[in-house]
Amino acid sequence: MQGYTPPPVPTEPTLTVRAQDTRDKLLRTARAVFEQDGYDTASVSRFVEQADVSRGTFYLYFESKQHIFRTLIMGIRDGLLTLQGDSGMTRDPLGASGHGPEHALERVIRMFIAFYRENARMMAVLEQVATYDEALRGLRLEMRRAVADRAREFIAHLQRAHVVPATVDPRYAATALTGMVDRFMFVWLILGEEFEEEDVVLNLSRLWFQAVGGVVVADGGADVTAT
């Protein structure tokens, strides 16, 4: 499996090349500090010491510790949305290649595993700080809703194709099932519960598909008739 490569953090078009390099170095350094020390222990002093720049230089680009953390998380959020778009989850939910919706789910879950593994430490920090920082909690909710919205579109498309029964509420199902996958990744990749990756892909995709009324046939394919 090819690993997920996150997109570069969005650049400021008005910055010179040298200034952009400095800003990027501060972002890379701050991320490493957040991942190692956590949000509360991380400080602007640590960022500038590790990046070998002055405090004044830091404040040319970022207003505060919260601002640079938010910038990093927004980059992760944008990468997550790019991943969902690249997965074809909403463009090809029935699997035009003939593999069916369960295999579409396998594809997006496989990509999400690679993405989450790449960003697990930052996601762990965000989970912690979102419990008490209102602004960052809002950003965490924004990320969750963005993911759930794509899943809602996927479910609604399957309903129009009579793969998923009309009794399923797409919004509630999407929120519950994306939450299931997200929490599983937390338990597996952050808390360290041991699972085999291929088994994770197979079982999560089947659970997801069956939860909305899809039928998995004996050979591992999917019945495309709603129950």
Side-chain angles (χ1 to χ4, degrees):
M1 179 188 73
Q2 293 183 343
Y4 173 76
T5 302
V9 175
T11 60
E12 297 287 345
T14 57
L15 296 179
T16 64
V17 172
R18 182 177 179 182
Q20 187 63 55
D21 287 345
T22 301
R23 182 177 184 272
D24 289 345
K25 181 168 71 170
L26 281 166
L27 285 167
R28 290 192 303 270
T29 302
R31 175 165 178 155
V33 172
F34 282 127
E35 290 180 345
Q36 178 179 330
D37 297 347
Y39 185 82
D40 289 339
T41 304
S43 65
V44 173
S45 295
R46 284 272 288 146
F47 302 154
V48 299
E49 178 187 352
Q50 293 294 317
D52 194 25
V53 299
S54 69
R55 291 181 70 90
T57 297
F58 175 88
Y59 288 114
L60 284 174
Y61 304 101
F62 304 102
E63 298 172 5
S64 61
K65 177 175 78 170
Q66 185 195 66
H67 182 201
I68 196 169
F69 184 77
R70 183 180 177 87
T71 302
L72 287 164
I73 295 300
M74 288 178 68
I76 293 173
R77 177 205 61 186
D78 292 345
L80 181 57
L81 294 177
T82 298
L83 177 149
Q84 283 192 300
D86 292 345
S87 73
M89 186 178 189
T90 54
R91 292 196 312 272
D92 183 26
L94 293 177
S97 60
H99 295 301
E102 186 194 354
H103 290 273
L105 284 167
E106 287 182 9
R107 183 171 62 248
V108 72
I109 288 172
R110 197 180 299 279
M111 294 174 73
F112 186 64
I113 288 170
F115 172 86
Y116 202 103
R117 181 179 283 123
E118 179 75 23
N119 295 285
R121 291 184 179 180
M122 283 296 288
M123 292 300 294
V125 176
L126 177 59
E127 292 289 346
Q128 179 185 29
V129 73
T131 63
Y132 59 82
D133 186 299
E134 184 175 354
L136 294 172
R137 180 165 61 249
L139 182 56
R140 181 68 180 103
L141 282 172
E142 180 186 331
M143 291 175 68
R144 289 279 303 115
R145 288 167 182 157
V147 172
D149 281 347
R150 295 286 181 89
R152 177 183 52 78
E153 293 175 23
F154 176 75
I155 294 169
H157 192 109
L158 295 182
Q159 286 179 320
R160 290 191 294 272
H162 305 292
V163 175
V164 169
T167 53
V168 173
D169 184 302
R171 178 171 175 259
Y172 280 88
T175 302
L177 292 168
T178 54
M180 173 191 74
V181 174
D182 184 74
R183 185 50 45 177
F184 190 99
M185 297 303 157
F186 182 86
V187 171
W188 177 31
L189 299 176
I190 294 176
L191 297 186
E193 186 70 81
E194 293 186 6
F195 295 102
E196 294 295 331
E197 183 166 325
E198 288 305 310
D199 289 340
V200 170
V201 173
L202 177 64
N203 283 282
L204 287 187
S205 60
R206 286 187 172 183
L207 282 169
W208 215 106
F209 188 56
Q210 290 173 324
V212 294
V215 177
V216 177
V217 297
D219 64 357
D223 189 339
V224 293
T225 303
T227 56

